[in-house]
PDB file of all heavy atoms in Angstrom:
ATOM      1  N   TYR L 210      59.949  62.506 -41.945  1.00 92.00           N
ATOM      2  CA  TYR L 210      58.678  61.815 -41.710  1.00 92.00           C
ATOM      3  C   TYR L 210      57.839  61.783 -42.985  1.00 92.00           C
ATOM      4  O   TYR L 210      57.795  62.757 -43.736  1.00 92.00           O
ATOM      5  CB  TYR L 210      57.902  62.522 -40.595  1.00 92.00           C
ATOM      6  CG  TYR L 210      58.703  62.668 -39.327  1.00 92.00           C
ATOM      7  CD1 TYR L 210      59.521  63.782 -39.137  1.00 92.00           C
ATOM      8  CD2 TYR L 210      58.690  61.685 -38.351  1.00 92.00           C
ATOM      9  CE1 TYR L 210      60.288  63.925 -37.991  1.00 92.00           C
ATOM     10  CE2 TYR L 210      59.452  61.806 -37.198  1.00 92.00           C
ATOM     11  CZ  TYR L 210      60.250  62.927 -37.026  1.00 92.00           C
ATOM     12  OH  TYR L 210      61.011  63.045 -35.894  1.00 92.00           O
ATOM     13  N   ASN L 211      57.180  60.650 -43.180  1.00 91.00           N
ATOM     14  CA  ASN L 211      56.192  60.524 -44.243  1.00 91.00           C
ATOM     15  C   ASN L 211      54.814  60.786 -43.663  1.00 91.00           C
ATOM     16  O   ASN L 211      54.489  60.312 -42.567  1.00 91.00           O
ATOM     17  CB  ASN L 211      56.235  59.127 -44.861  1.00 91.00           C
ATOM     18  CG  ASN L 211      57.562  58.833 -45.532  1.00 91.00           C
ATOM     19  OD1 ASN L 211      58.245  59.742 -45.999  1.00 91.00           O
ATOM     20  ND2 ASN L 211      57.940  57.566 -45.600  1.00 91.00           N
ATOM     21  N   VAL L 212      53.997  61.535 -44.385  1.00 93.00           N
ATOM     22  CA  VAL L 212      52.643  61.864 -43.930  1.00 93.00           C
ATOM     23  C   VAL L 212      51.683  60.809 -44.475  1.00 93.00           C
ATOM     24  O   VAL L 212      51.534  60.663 -45.690  1.00 93.00           O
ATOM     25  CB  VAL L 212      52.229  63.270 -44.407  1.00 93.00           C
ATOM     26  CG1 VAL L 212      50.865  63.640 -43.821  1.00 93.00           C
ATOM     27  CG2 VAL L 212      53.281  64.302 -44.012  1.00 93.00           C
ATOM     28  N   ILE L 213      51.027  60.077 -43.572  1.00 91.00           N
ATOM     29  CA  ILE L 213      50.178  58.950 -43.944  1.00 91.00           C
ATOM     30  C   ILE L 213      48.712  59.279 -43.659  1.00 91.00           C
ATOM     31  O   ILE L 213      48.392  59.865 -42.623  1.00 91.00           O
ATOM     32  CB  ILE L 213      50.568  57.669 -43.165  1.00 91.00           C
ATOM     33  CG1 ILE L 213      52.080  57.432 -43.232  1.00 91.00           C
ATOM     34  CG2 ILE L 213      49.797  56.466 -43.692  1.00 91.00           C
ATOM     35  CD1 ILE L 213      52.627  57.251 -44.617  1.00 91.00           C
ATOM     36  N   LEU L 214      47.818  58.880 -44.554  1.00 92.00           N
ATOM     37  CA  LEU L 214      46.371  59.088 -44.386  1.00 92.00           C
ATOM     38  C   LEU L 214      45.671  57.749 -44.180  1.00 92.00           C
ATOM     39  O   LEU L 214      45.885  56.802 -44.942  1.00 92.00           O
ATOM     40  CB  LEU L 214      45.783  59.783 -45.611  1.00 92.00           C
ATOM     41  CG  LEU L 214      44.251  59.964 -45.611  1.00 92.00           C
ATOM     42  CD1 LEU L 214      43.836  60.926 -44.504  1.00 92.00           C
ATOM     43  CD2 LEU L 214      43.765  60.454 -46.967  1.00 92.00           C
ATOM     44  N   ASP L 215      44.819  57.682 -43.128  1.00 89.00           N
ATOM     45  CA  ASP L 215      43.916  56.545 -42.907  1.00 89.00           C
ATOM     46  C   ASP L 215      42.530  57.000 -43.352  1.00 89.00           C
ATOM     47  O   ASP L 215      41.829  57.718 -42.641  1.00 89.00           O
ATOM     48  CB  ASP L 215      43.923  56.140 -41.432  1.00 89.00           C
ATOM     49  CG  ASP L 215      43.183  54.831 -41.200  1.00 89.00           C
ATOM     50  OD1 ASP L 215      42.184  54.584 -41.903  1.00 89.00           O
ATOM     51  OD2 ASP L 215      43.601  54.058 -40.318  1.00 89.00           O
ATOM     52  N   THR L 216      42.162  56.582 -44.553  1.00 89.00           N
ATOM     53  CA  THR L 216      40.901  57.041 -45.149  1.00 89.00           C
ATOM     54  C   THR L 216      39.694  56.655 -44.312  1.00 89.00           C
ATOM     55  O   THR L 216      38.737  57.432 -44.172  1.00 89.00           O
ATOM     56  CB  THR L 216      40.766  56.450 -46.564  1.00 89.00           C
ATOM     57  OG1 THR L 216      41.919  56.798 -47.321  1.00 89.00           O
ATOM     58  CG2 THR L 216      39.537  56.991 -47.260  1.00 89.00           C
ATOM     59  N   LYS L 217      39.717  55.463 -43.725  1.00 85.00           N
ATOM     60  CA  LYS L 217      38.554  54.982 -42.979  1.00 85.00           C
ATOM     61  C   LYS L 217      38.268  55.842 -41.749  1.00 85.00           C
ATOM     62  O   LYS L 217      37.110  56.118 -41.435  1.00 85.00           O
ATOM     63  CB  LYS L 217      38.788  53.520 -42.580  1.00 85.00           C
ATOM     64  CG  LYS L 217      38.760  52.574 -43.771  1.00 85.00           C
ATOM     65  CD  LYS L 217      38.930  51.135 -43.361  1.00 85.00           C
ATOM     66  CE  LYS L 217      40.317  50.867 -42.860  1.00 85.00           C
ATOM     67  NZ  LYS L 217      40.554  49.427 -42.611  1.00 85.00           N
ATOM     68  N   ILE L 218      39.315  56.256 -41.071  1.00 87.00           N
ATOM     69  CA  ILE L 218      39.100  57.132 -39.916  1.00 87.00           C
ATOM     70  C   ILE L 218      38.591  58.490 -40.376  1.00 87.00           C
ATOM     71  O   ILE L 218      37.689  59.078 -39.764  1.00 87.00           O
ATOM     72  CB  ILE L 218      40.404  57.280 -39.118  1.00 87.00           C
ATOM     73  CG1 ILE L 218      40.808  55.938 -38.514  1.00 87.00           C
ATOM     74  CG2 ILE L 218      40.254  58.331 -38.021  1.00 87.00           C
ATOM     75  CD1 ILE L 218      42.100  55.994 -37.738  1.00 87.00           C
ATOM     76  N   LEU L 219      39.159  58.997 -41.471  1.00 88.00           N
ATOM     77  CA  LEU L 219      38.752  60.303 -41.973  1.00 88.00           C
ATOM     78  C   LEU L 219      37.272  60.312 -42.368  1.00 88.00           C
ATOM     79  O   LEU L 219      36.594  61.341 -42.232  1.00 88.00           O
ATOM     80  CB  LEU L 219      39.622  60.686 -43.167  1.00 88.00           C
ATOM     81  CG  LEU L 219      39.395  62.081 -43.760  1.00 88.00           C
ATOM     82  CD1 LEU L 219      39.736  63.165 -42.737  1.00 88.00           C
ATOM     83  CD2 LEU L 219      40.227  62.275 -45.018  1.00 88.00           C
ATOM     84  N   LEU L 220      36.749  59.182 -42.818  1.00 87.00           N
ATOM     85  CA  LEU L 220      35.362  59.114 -43.286  1.00 87.00           C
ATOM     86  C   LEU L 220      34.363  58.751 -42.194  1.00 87.00           C
ATOM     87  O   LEU L 220      33.187  58.535 -42.482  1.00 87.00           O
ATOM     88  CB  LEU L 220      35.259  58.095 -44.430  1.00 87.00           C
ATOM     89  CG  LEU L 220      36.005  58.475 -45.722  1.00 87.00           C
ATOM     90  CD1 LEU L 220      35.868  57.368 -46.746  1.00 87.00           C
ATOM     91  CD2 LEU L 220      35.506  59.805 -46.278  1.00 87.00           C
ATOM     92  N   ARG L 221      34.809  58.658 -40.955  1.00 86.00           N
ATOM     93  CA  ARG L 221      33.868  58.339 -39.871  1.00 86.00           C
ATOM     94  C   ARG L 221      32.758  59.397 -39.772  1.00 86.00           C
ATOM     95  O   ARG L 221      31.598  59.074 -39.567  1.00 86.00           O
ATOM     96  CB  ARG L 221      34.611  58.283 -38.533  1.00 86.00           C
ATOM     97  CG  ARG L 221      35.342  56.992 -38.273  1.00 86.00           C
ATOM     98  CD  ARG L 221      35.825  57.003 -36.847  1.00 86.00           C
ATOM     99  NE  ARG L 221      36.892  56.041 -36.642  1.00 86.00           N
ATOM    100  CZ  ARG L 221      37.603  55.979 -35.528  1.00 86.00           C
ATOM    101  NH1 ARG L 221      37.387  56.865 -34.560  1.00 86.00           N
ATOM    102  NH2 ARG L 221      38.535  55.070 -35.392  1.00 86.00           N
ATOM    103  N   LYS L 222      33.198  60.645 -39.874  1.00 87.00           N
ATOM    104  CA  LYS L 222      32.223  61.739 -39.813  1.00 87.00           C
ATOM    105  C   LYS L 222      32.508  62.717 -40.943  1.00 87.00           C
ATOM    106  O   LYS L 222      33.661  62.946 -41.309  1.00 87.00           O
ATOM    107  CB  LYS L 222      32.318  62.476 -38.471  1.00 87.00           C
ATOM    108  CG  LYS L 222      31.853  61.676 -37.270  1.00 87.00           C
ATOM    109  CD  LYS L 222      31.891  62.538 -36.018  1.00 87.00           C
ATOM    110  CE  LYS L 222      31.417  61.767 -34.793  1.00 87.00           C
ATOM    111  NZ  LYS L 222      31.446  62.611 -33.570  1.00 87.00           N
ATOM    112  N   GLU L 223      31.446  63.287 -41.430  1.00 86.00           N
ATOM    113  CA  GLU L 223      31.611  64.275 -42.494  1.00 86.00           C
ATOM    114  C   GLU L 223      32.355  65.510 -42.006  1.00 86.00           C
ATOM    115  O   GLU L 223      33.003  66.206 -42.787  1.00 86.00           O
ATOM    116  CB  GLU L 223      30.241  64.681 -43.045  1.00 86.00           C
ATOM    117  CG  GLU L 223      29.519  63.565 -43.784  1.00 86.00           C
ATOM    118  CD  GLU L 223      28.202  64.048 -44.364  1.00 86.00           C
ATOM    119  OE1 GLU L 223      27.911  65.267 -44.201  1.00 86.00           O
ATOM    120  OE2 GLU L 223      27.488  63.238 -44.959  1.00 86.00           O
ATOM    121  N   ASP L 224      32.281  65.756 -40.692  1.00 87.00           N
ATOM    122  CA  ASP L 224      32.924  66.943 -40.130  1.00 87.00           C
ATOM    123  C   ASP L 224      34.450  66.865 -40.181  1.00 87.00           C
ATOM    124  O   ASP L 224      35.127  67.876 -40.000  1.00 87.00           O
ATOM    125  CB  ASP L 224      32.492  67.133 -38.667  1.00 87.00           C
ATOM    126  CG  ASP L 224      31.001  67.433 -38.551  1.00 87.00           C
ATOM    127  OD1 ASP L 224      30.401  67.815 -39.576  1.00 87.00           O
ATOM    128  OD2 ASP L 224      30.446  67.286 -37.446  1.00 87.00           O
ATOM    129  N   TYR L 225      35.025  65.652 -40.408  1.00 89.00           N
ATOM    130  CA  TYR L 225      36.472  65.492 -40.384  1.00 89.00           C
ATOM    131  C   TYR L 225      37.142  65.918 -41.695  1.00 89.00           C
ATOM    132  O   TYR L 225      38.297  66.336 -41.697  1.00 89.00           O
ATOM    133  CB  TYR L 225      36.849  64.025 -40.124  1.00 89.00           C
ATOM    134  CG  TYR L 225      36.452  63.500 -38.757  1.00 89.00           C
ATOM    135  CD1 TYR L 225      36.436  62.130 -38.502  1.00 89.00           C
ATOM    136  CD2 TYR L 225      36.113  64.360 -37.717  1.00 89.00           C
ATOM    137  CE1 TYR L 225      36.095  61.626 -37.262  1.00 89.00           C
ATOM    138  CE2 TYR L 225      35.750  63.878 -36.475  1.00 89.00           C
ATOM    139  CZ  TYR L 225      35.744  62.502 -36.246  1.00 89.00           C
ATOM    140  OH  TYR L 225      35.401  62.012 -35.025  1.00 89.00           O
ATOM    141  N   LEU L 226      36.438  65.786 -42.797  1.00 89.00           N
ATOM    142  CA  LEU L 226      37.076  65.884 -44.104  1.00 89.00           C
ATOM    143  C   LEU L 226      37.695  67.252 -44.371  1.00 89.00           C
ATOM    144  O   LEU L 226      38.901  67.365 -44.619  1.00 89.00           O
ATOM    145  CB  LEU L 226      36.074  65.535 -45.202  1.00 89.00           C
ATOM    146  CG  LEU L 226      36.643  65.529 -46.631  1.00 89.00           C
ATOM    147  CD1 LEU L 226      37.751  64.498 -46.756  1.00 89.00           C
ATOM    148  CD2 LEU L 226      35.527  65.260 -47.638  1.00 89.00           C
ATOM    149  N   GLU L 227      36.893  68.303 -44.336  1.00 90.00           N
ATOM    150  CA  GLU L 227      37.387  69.619 -44.739  1.00 90.00           C
ATOM    151  C   GLU L 227      38.471  70.171 -43.822  1.00 90.00           C
ATOM    152  O   GLU L 227      39.500  70.672 -44.308  1.00 90.00           O
ATOM    153  CB  GLU L 227      36.218  70.601 -44.846  1.00 90.00           C
ATOM    154  CG  GLU L 227      35.222  70.268 -45.949  1.00 90.00           C
ATOM    155  CD  GLU L 227      35.886  70.158 -47.312  1.00 90.00           C
ATOM    156  OE1 GLU L 227      36.878  70.895 -47.560  1.00 90.00           O
ATOM    157  OE2 GLU L 227      35.447  69.326 -48.122  1.00 90.00           O
TER     158      GLU L 227
END
Side-chain angles (χ1 to χ4, degrees):
Y210 305 88
N211 297 332
V212 185
I213 311 300
L214 175 66
D215 189 325
T216 305
K217 291 183 291 187
I218 295 179
L219 184 63
L220 294 178
R221 280 189 199 171
K222 291 184 179 180
E223 293 183 2
D224 295 343
Y225 295 164
L226 183 61
E227 295 304 327

